[in-house]
Amino acid sequence: MFRFTKRMHEQAGLPPGTTVHIGERKVEKVRISLFDYAAGHLEERVIDKVEECYPYRDKPTVTWINVDGLHDVEIIEKLGECFGIHPIVREDIANTGLRPKLHDYGDYLFIILKMLYFEKGRHEVTVEQVSLVVGKNFVISFQEDGEDVFDAVRARIRSGAGRIRKSPTDYLAYALIDAIVDGYFIVCERVGEEVELVQERLLGSPDPESLHTIQSLRGELIDLRRSVWPLREVVASLERGESPLIHKETAIFMRHVYDHTIEIIETIESFRDLVAGMIDIYLSSISVRLNEVMKVLTIIATIFIPLTFIVGIYGMNFHAMWPHLGWRYGFAAVMGVCAAVAVAMLVNFRRRSWL
Amino acid sequence: MFRFTKRMHEQAGLPPGTTVHIGERKVEKVRISLFDYAAGHLEERVIDKVEECYPYRDKPTVTWINVDGLHDVEIIEKLGECFGIHPIVREDIANTGLRPKLHDYGDYLFIILKMLYFEKGRHEVTVEQVSLVVGKNFVISFQEDGEDVFDAVRARIRSGAGRIRKSPTDYLAYALIDAIVDGYFIVCERVGEEVELVQERLLGSPDPESLHTIQSLRGELIDLRRSVWPLREVVASLERGESPLIHKETAIFMRHVYDHTIEIIETIESFRDLVAGMIDIYLSSISVRLNEVMKVLTIIATIFIPLTFIVGIYGMNFHAMWPHLGWRYGFAAVMGVCAAVAVAMLVNFRRRSWL
Amino acid sequence: MFRFTKRMHEQAGLPPGTTVHIGERKVEKVRISLFDYAAGHLEERVIDKVEECYPYRDKPTVTWINVDGLHDVEIIEKLGECFGIHPIVREDIANTGLRPKLHDYGDYLFIILKMLYFEKGRHEVTVEQVSLVVGKNFVISFQEDGEDVFDAVRARIRSGAGRIRKSPTDYLAYALIDAIVDGYFIVCERVGEEVELVQERLLGSPDPESLHTIQSLRGELIDLRRSVWPLREVVASLERGESPLIHKETAIFMRHVYDHTIEIIETIESFRDLVAGMIDIYLSSISVRLNEVMKVLTIIATIFIPLTFIVGIYGMNFHAMWPHLGWRYGFAAVMGVCAAVAVAMLVNFRRRSWL
Amino acid sequence: MFRFTKRMHEQAGLPPGTTVHIGERKVEKVRISLFDYAAGHLEERVIDKVEECYPYRDKPTVTWINVDGLHDVEIIEKLGECFGIHPIVREDIANTGLRPKLHDYGDYLFIILKMLYFEKGRHEVTVEQVSLVVGKNFVISFQEDGEDVFDAVRARIRSGAGRIRKSPTDYLAYALIDAIVDGYFIVCERVGEEVELVQERLLGSPDPESLHTIQSLRGELIDLRRSVWPLREVVASLERGESPLIHKETAIFMRHVYDHTIEIIETIESFRDLVAGMIDIYLSSISVRLNEVMKVLTIIATIFIPLTFIVGIYGMNFHAMWPHLGWRYGFAAVMGVCAAVAVAMLVNFRRRSWL
Amino acid sequence: MFRFTKRMHEQAGLPPGTTVHIGERKVEKVRISLFDYAAGHLEERVIDKVEECYPYRDKPTVTWINVDGLHDVEIIEKLGECFGIHPIVREDIANTGLRPKLHDYGDYLFIILKMLYFEKGRHEVTVEQVSLVVGKNFVISFQEDGEDVFDAVRARIRSGAGRIRKSPTDYLAYALIDAIVDGYFIVCERVGEEVELVQERLLGSPDPESLHTIQSLRGELIDLRRSVWPLREVVASLERGESPLIHKETAIFMRHVYDHTIEIIETIESFRDLVAGMIDIYLSSISVRLNEVMKVLTIIATIFIPLTFIVGIYGMNFHAMWPHLGWRYGFAAVMGVCAAVAVAMLVNFRRRSWL
């Protein structure tokens, strides 16, 4: 979560509305793809020069421009100017350290979301920022990387199945948000498996390692929360249909995404509850073990320390001892006393149920 | 609670409005039963083919169609189309991993509830999802399994006793919800007994086992909460009578169910409070035991270690010792000193109230 | 708190509006008393047959019917029918396991309260349910038992002192609620004394017993909360004067009761805060004691274990030893070394301030 | 905090509106002082008989009557009747166990506040109740004791400096409340010093004493909170200027007092945070110490116990031993082995960084 | 955080509206600088006598007066009178112990902010109070010290770049607030680094020192929160554009600052979460270490104490022993038994996985 902060401060001191890329550069070259469609029409293009997008501004059909890679600030600037996007929005698009939010600029909605996924072979959740600008007849999406979470949406547009081709831009926005939120379930499941694993290990044989795992799980859940909680507000205000850009029919679908978001939030909160409980388990299991260690020491010591004293008595070099050292059964008698003491101790421990 | 998540993600990536069964298949064959009634009229049928339900759509009498088993998606689809149910609702009906909710679609209300019960011979709470679609002249209920929680309602319809036969669909919906909520009390009572049992065991003789029981109780309460908290909102908005489908007379009854829900929530919260306190009890009882173990060790060791030193002195082989080893009362004197030291220690311990 | 749940579930499955007595039977025979009064008029009667109450329904004077004992469901039914009380209200009156609430049925208000008191010679708080039905010209109060908390109100009616005889039914309702809330102060004081006692004992000499007492105090406070928190909402909505049955003059008095309720809630919350702190005290006092025990062991052991080693050296049977065993001051020298070691240890402990 | 409760219950059972003094009698004789002023007019009197106040009721100038001492109920009654104060307000004035509140009775505002100060030579905060009745042309203030917190206000009236002489009664009320809230800062500072002191002592050398101090600090902060939190609501509703008695110009000043109240609340909450953290420090410092004690024991014991065993071997009386007891370097060899073991142990401990 | 309180109480008892400097004197001499600008106009001056500012009051251009140093109360008074600032505002400007707030006085807005920065070479955050008075054609800013956080804004005015020269006073206010909030990111980053450092040290080798660091981190975070939480409300109400002084175009920028504030609050809350978890780590790592220490002691003691007993037996001086002391293999036999016992113990410990 320090990442959030670090990225932010790079911009500190710059005048507002200055578009500066803040974040890692995840792709070599910015890739732009364009879909233009209507009920009976479909055009799909890969854009080389950003200027090729300009003519689509005034077409009544739905235009979806997807930009992969944010480091080429000029592209954002040019698209922004063409589609009338406020400079402060452009600044936010290029800054990958922001929290999910929805701002209504009248002519268009500006939405920031966090896309979560596990990269192949990596153990940690990757968080990527996605910005959507939703206008009357266009949707522009900005991604850090060209991950294929939107491929299902592309397939649906191409096939013309479902409502997507017959619906305005708000439905496309819904489809994109839905695709992102669906990804959260997979992350939640993976985290849930990790939580279950740690819990089992803890109840079995807890070691200092476990604590580190718990602490890192906690950190991961804090990160997840920071991505999902604000998302809830975003989707809720989309669902309420406050903007005229969101039609009533789409609001029903948005409500569905909202339900999913709540579902995810509840799951995360349950995980947090469980992880909080784990520390109690860990602490008490350490105490239980200490108790066991101490019992072993106490049993051995309380049995043998008095015995050592007894045999020590007859190791004294006094000439006159009682019983006389020459007594034939002296050795047997002392050994008998020792045995009796040991048995008495053992009975005592058994009564305390230490054995 | 991982179940919720796991089920959900199976659907991730599918286009919205695709009806897919998510969850276990609990019954062999989907069973459909139908009641059609009015003040002086009653028809009860078992439906073989879903098409048999179609004519009831336009009858002014109250029609209650109950579907047991959700794996046959086609049935949900057909019923949905006939009664004008939104595709996204059909999707939700087939997905058993959702949280309780109420959505108002104007012509009908869509309600998801969780039915809780203890299956015979099993120790854990079974959670089953029930969906209700409440229209002007029909109620369609979807269950995972054919559990008999609705039998009391069926009996009342058959006998014609009470208001049910004279009332519109909202009263039937109330009766079904009330039957489900009543089941919660039984679950609460069983959980309460378990809580009491664990508490008694803890105050008696706590063992590491207890901790596992506490942690699983905690998990169970988290599950219960997740079923009941959203239910509260559902019933509250039914009670407020925001939909014209809920008449004022029924709202009074809904308020009654709302009271029950609050009652249950408070009980669960009290359980949570108590379970939270149990960990404190457990931790402190471990500490108390460690204290006892250490006291025993300390008492034995502090008495005998000095004594062993004393007898060790006279085990030394120096020729010249004080008192002279040939002294007649040497042995008695040393034993006396040992006894004195032991008594002094014991008095000391008693004063510290360790004995 | 399990009581709440247990009583509730007995009713599970019954059709709504079925009046069933749920709870203990606290009195042998149901007693009904009746007051009918106005500014210059007073009639006090003991009712044998419930039908004797019927004529008072249409009298313009204020009629107060008090019913002690809820097991005779028929009486509740008859009164309910005569005074036009909704079946669901009658069901609630007979069910003693409900939480405080206020429902406005237009013609009358239905109020459930919890009366708290210490029965003579018993240590635990007794919780009794009181239901009030407040109509335009009648108040019907239902009690489980004939406790005398309302006697002060009766005396005021008889004497005609104060406003009560000149005021409508809402003032009578206020007087009854005020009498119940006043009882809470006495309970709070008793609980407060208990809290203080436990706290003192804990700071003095905590024993495992204390933990049980703390846990039971906690349970008692949970019970108290469950009685008082909902009461607050009840009184608040009476104060707001939303119902035309509550006159503006009475609302001022209701506000006074509301202040008292807040006062009680704050007191309970302070108790909860203190009780939560007690567990910390208990745990740390156990740790402190363990520390002391360990210090004693450590001091004794670290002094005498090295000494025992030293004397052990000269207990060895080697012929050639250094110093020679025949040396005259050998014994004194060894004893001197032992003393020196002991003193060094003691100085060390003092420097660590363990002594 | 028990005081609150104890005082309250004395009144339980009395009819509402009965003025009874509840609380300590702090002054011998009730003192009444009167100010009557306007822009160019000032009259200051000490009142002997309460009837002397009556003529001021109808004067258009601002009249401030200050009553020190609440035990003479008759005075409250008479003033109340003359100035038209509701009996329930008179009851509250005489009851010193109430929480801060503001009630608007249309013709006048009734305000209860808590005055906090340190009495000379005493260590604990003294809490005193102040009631204000603010009418159109009069302010009556009731104090338990004649503390001089209002002297600054009196001085300002006498000197005619500032706005006070030119302003209506609400400004006088503001000045009095401001004087009381100013006193809170001094209390906060003193408590803050105590918190800092305890914190320092804890980080230095914590002893069981500290725990008692922490617990009493906690109690003090609970008391402070109970005085200040409700005050916030009181001042907030004065600031909102809901009553026509509060003029817009005064509302600006009330906002200032409101800021102060928030400031104080935040300070108290910070103290609570810090005090909560102290218990963690205390508990962990106990554990650290236990660790140290145990390390000392372990080091000494693990070094000397094996050594004692070794020398014990050669204390055995077997005739045939290895090395032969008559061997010249036997003693030296054993001592050498002992030294080697001890050094090995010490190295080991150093490696574990126990030394 | 005690600073807040201490400063406040110095003013206790003074009549409202008395301007008194409360706080440290950070600069030798008060410095006043003035900017007067419009789209095509710029005047920059250093003011010697406060009266030089008067003529700018009535100019339609934007005038920014920046005052460094608050100890010369007369300057605040004079500026206040000239620009019509309420006495209570002047009092607040001179008092550096206030929390962030926004008050709307109709003609002007009064804003208090906290500026946070690390002074060169110092380890702790410095908190400085900044007050802004934003009128129709003037902004007056008051700083304790002449820190250069506003230099970026000055540079932008001078260069005429961006919107600043073309915008009214609200944009200047925005630019100043934005500069302050940007400073928070740097502080957050530094604190974040400290948190990470402590966390790493804790997971490595925790020492009692760590606890002090944690407690001081906690205190620092409390201070940060107290500066940032109220800031949020300030910026939120600026963003809502309730005052006619804030134009719609500026509100968009204010929303941007608001986003930053939320970002910072979330970061602080995450830090608090992590720091709270650290104490758990610390406590459990102490327990783990105690466990290790005890294991070492137990292993050594339980192996050698029985052995010492065995060799002690044959140190007894009885004449008749079994086996006979003259037995040739006696010594070897006893040593063999000792070795066997030791091996048995070691196997046992290995099985418990203590080794």
Side-chain angles (χ1 to χ4, degrees), chain A residues 1-2 4-6 8-9 11-17 86-88 91-92 95 97-99 101-105 208 211-212 215 218-219 222 225-226 229-230 272 279 282-283 285-287 289-294 296-297 300-301 304-305 307-308 310-318 321 323-332 334-335 338, chain E residues 152 156 163 171 174 178 182-186 188-189 192-193 195-196 199 203-204 249 252-253 255-256 259-260 262-264 266-267 269-271 273-278 280-285 287-288 290-292 294-295 297-299 301-303 305-309 311-323 345 349 352-354:
Chain A
M1 86 227 54
F2 306 130
F4 282 72
T5 336
K6 275 178 197 157
M8 289 302 297
H9 110 264
Q11 201 173 24
L14 288 175
H86 197 283
I88 224 151
E91 182 189 329
D92 279 357
N95 178 349
L98 300 175
R99 64 196 292 272
K101 66 181 173 185
L102 164 71
H103 284 336
D104 186 346
Y105 285 86
L211 203 70
H212 300 210
Q215 191 73 354
R218 207 189 235 172
I222 291 177
R225 271 190 108 198
R226 284 185 79 170
W229 270 100
R272 278 167 59 90
I279 297 206
Y282 180 67
L283 276 173
S285 76
I286 293 173
S287 299
R289 285 177 147 214
L290 182 61
N291 247 343
E292 263 170 52
V293 170
M294 293 317 300
V296 168
L297 175 60
I300 296 287
F304 285 101
I305 287 181
L307 302 189
T308 304
I310 291 170
V311 302
I313 291 173
Y314 295 97
M316 289 196 295
N317 295 319
F318 286 109
M321 302 269 281
H324 193 273
L325 291 168
W327 185 39
R328 197 175 167 176
Y329 302 109
F331 179 71
V334 169
M335 294 323 285
C338 284
Chain E
R156 264 190 279 151
R163 300 165 171 252
Y171 190 87
Y174 152 72
D178 190 47
D182 272 357
Y184 287 11
F185 284 111
I186 295 153
C188 267
E189 190 184 355
E193 279 164 15
V195 167
E196 259 181 348
Q199 175 129 336
L203 291 176
E249 301 83 58
I252 287 175
F253 289 93
R255 192 162 62 181
H256 207 236
D259 289 348
H260 285 192
I262 297 291
E263 210 84 52
I264 290 161
E266 285 197 345
T267 306
E269 293 306 312
S270 308
F271 289 162
D273 254 40
L274 276 168
V275 168
M278 280 177 190
D280 285 331
I281 300 182
Y282 179 66
L283 277 173
S284 69
S285 76
S287 299
V288 166
L290 183 61
N291 248 343
E292 262 171 53
M294 293 317 299
K295 266 188 205 163
L297 175 60
T298 303
I299 289 167
T302 51
I303 287 178
I305 287 181
L307 301 190
T308 304
F309 166 66
V311 302
I313 291 173
Y314 296 96
M316 290 196 294
N317 295 318
F318 285 112
H319 300 171
M321 302 269 280
W322 186 93
M345 288 288 183
F349 294 145
R352 289 168 192 258
S353 69
W354 288 6

Side-chain angles (χ1 to χ4, degrees), chain A residues 156 174 182 189 196 253 255-256 259 262-263 266 271 277 284 291 294 298 305 309 316-317 319-321, chain B residues 2 9 13 16 88 91-92 99 101 103 105 211 218 286 290 293-294 304 311 314-317 325:
Chain A
R156 266 190 277 151
Y174 152 72
D182 271 357
E189 191 185 354
E196 259 181 349
F253 289 93
R255 192 162 62 181
H256 207 235
D259 289 348
I262 296 291
E263 211 84 53
E266 285 197 347
F271 289 163
S284 70
N291 247 343
M294 293 317 300
T298 303
I305 287 181
F309 166 65
M316 289 196 295
N317 295 319
H319 301 172
M321 302 269 281
Chain B
F2 307 131
H9 111 264
I88 223 151
E91 183 188 329
D92 279 357
R99 66 197 292 273
K101 66 179 173 187
H103 283 336
Y105 285 85
L211 203 70
R218 207 189 233 174
I286 292 173
L290 182 61
V293 170
M294 293 317 299
F304 285 101
V311 302
Y314 295 96
M316 291 196 294
N317 295 319
L325 292 166

Side-chain angles (χ1 to χ4, degrees), chain C residues 150-308:
Chain C
F150 289 161
D151 276 5
V153 179
R154 283 189 195 99
R156 266 191 277 154
I157 297 176
R158 282 184 201 120
S159 73
R163 300 166 170 251
I164 200 159
R165 283 268 282 279
K166 293 157 222 143
S167 306
T169 55
D170 57 346
Y171 190 87
L172 177 57
Y174 151 72
L176 295 174
I177 295 170
D178 189 48
I180 289 169
V181 171
D182 272 357
Y184 286 11
F185 283 110
I186 294 153
V187 169
C188 267
E189 190 184 358
R190 288 270 298 254
V191 171
E193 280 165 13
E194 222 176 314
V195 168
E196 258 181 350
L197 220 117
V198 173
Q199 174 129 337
E200 265 167 43
R201 223 171 68 191
L202 264 182
L203 290 176
S205 60
D207 44 5
E209 269 298 277
S210 325
L211 203 69
H212 299 208
T213 324
I214 292 171
Q215 190 74 352
S216 84
L217 255 179
R218 208 188 232 173
E220 224 164 87
L221 287 171
I222 292 177
D223 269 8
L224 267 171
R225 271 192 106 196
R226 286 185 76 169
S227 299
V228 182
W229 270 99
L231 175 70
R232 185 194 167 182
E233 298 161 41
V234 169
V235 180
S237 69
L238 284 172
E239 187 228 305
R240 264 179 268 123
E242 283 155 357
S243 160
L245 285 164
I246 305 295
H247 301 87
K248 216 181 158 181
E249 301 83 57
T250 312
I252 288 175
F253 289 94
M254 286 298 182
R255 192 162 63 180
H256 207 235
V257 177
Y258 181 75
D259 289 347
H260 286 192
T261 315
I262 297 291
E263 209 84 53
I264 289 160
I265 285 173
E266 285 197 348
T267 305
I268 291 172
E269 293 307 313
S270 306
F271 288 163
R272 278 168 59 92
D273 253 39
L274 277 168
V275 168
M278 280 177 190
I279 296 205
D280 285 331
I281 300 184
Y282 180 67
L283 277 173
S284 70
S285 75
I286 292 173
S287 299
V288 166
R289 285 179 147 212
L290 182 61
N291 248 342
E292 263 171 54
V293 170
M294 292 317 299
K295 266 188 208 164
V296 169
L297 176 60
T298 303
I299 290 168
I300 295 287
T302 50
I303 288 177
F304 284 102
I305 286 180
L307 300 191
T308 304

Side-chain angles (χ1 to χ4, degrees), chain A residues 35-43 56 59 61-62 157 165:
Chain A
F35 277 83
D36 189 76
Y37 64 83
H41 157 77
L42 175 66
E43 186 190 347
Y56 294 90
K59 283 200 184 168
T61 49
V62 176
I157 296 176
R165 284 268 282 278

Side-chain angles (χ1 to χ4, degrees), chain D residues 185-205:
Chain D
F185 284 110
I186 295 153
V187 169
C188 266
E189 190 184 357
R190 289 269 299 254
V191 171
E193 279 164 15
E194 221 175 317
V195 167
E196 259 182 349
L197 219 117
V198 173
Q199 175 128 337
E200 265 166 44
R201 222 171 67 192
L202 264 181
L203 291 175
S205 60

